[in-house]
Amino acid sequence: MATMGTQYGAIVHGRRGDTDVTSTVEARSVEGGRSVALIAVQGTLATPSLESVKGALAGVTRVTEGAAATLAKAAPPPPYASGVAVVLLFADVAHVAAHGGARCYRERGGVLEELAAGVHDAQPGDAFVAASHAGLQVGRAFFTTASRAATDAEFRNNALDAALEAALAPYSTFVAVAAARLP
């Protein structure tokens, strides 16, 4: 996965309900290159739970097949973290894991699909989304607004925020998403 030209974003959308949500995009140098983690969490203590996952990410020195599952399991149990989604992008693959009500998705060719846990190929033009819980409509385009990558930095965690805001506008559910769109 080339990081140059890749767009990243993380937002919280909707009105707060009985649970909290949060998301982030984190870049990390690892053996063999750079990995980018898309993380979304829901639960009564979503923010501290996210910090637990980020703490586990800090210990990742090599991306292996089970890395995303290890990160997703680093959050505390329900109700503190009732849903955790992790997409770990490295080279030309996406390592995916979700627990509880959280879900991971890929938009390819204008069609959003839910991803099962495991390793998935990442092709140019793909977009990956970690969502704090299920409910994104699959089978159609998720992104409806064009976005442009930041030209003044290799990694910026806000280049996709406006497109995410537009994509989530039809949803009334309180959701946090983290996303990446490959060039």
Side-chain angles (χ1 to χ4, degrees), residues 28-121:
R28 176 151 177 76
S29 294
V30 295
E31 182 181 309
R34 179 190 284 199
S35 67
V36 174
L38 312 174
I39 307 166
V41 180
Q42 71 175 359
T44 58
L45 294 174
T47 300
S49 297
L50 175 65
E51 292 304 318
S52 295
V53 177
K54 288 169 55 175
L57 178 63
V60 172
T61 58
R62 207 171 68 120
V63 177
T64 61
E65 189 167 329
T70 299
L71 294 175
K73 290 177 185 173
Y80 310 112
S82 55
V84 179
V86 176
V87 176
L88 189 59
L89 299 169
F90 182 72
D92 58 353
V93 297
H95 300 263
V96 173
H99 292 287
R103 297 290 183 265
C104 298
Y105 301 88
R106 174 178 55 202
E107 183 184 70
R108 177 177 282 168
V111 177
L112 187 69
E113 63 180 322
E114 188 174 320
L115 296 176
V119 180
H120 301 270
D121 69 311

Side-chain angles (χ1 to χ4, degrees), residues 7-12 22-26 36-41 50 85-87 89 103-105 127-132 136 142-143 157 160-161 164 168 175-181:
Q7 301 167 22
Y8 305 100
I11 66 168
V12 172
T22 189
S23 60
T24 189
V25 178
E26 303 286 329
V36 174
L38 312 174
I39 307 166
V41 180
L50 175 65
V86 176
V87 176
L89 299 169
R103 297 290 183 265
C104 298
Y105 301 88
F128 290 90
V129 179
S132 61
L136 299 185
F142 177 67
F143 289 102
N157 182 5
L160 200 55
D161 287 357
L164 282 170
L168 293 172
V175 62
V177 296
R181 179 178 293 215

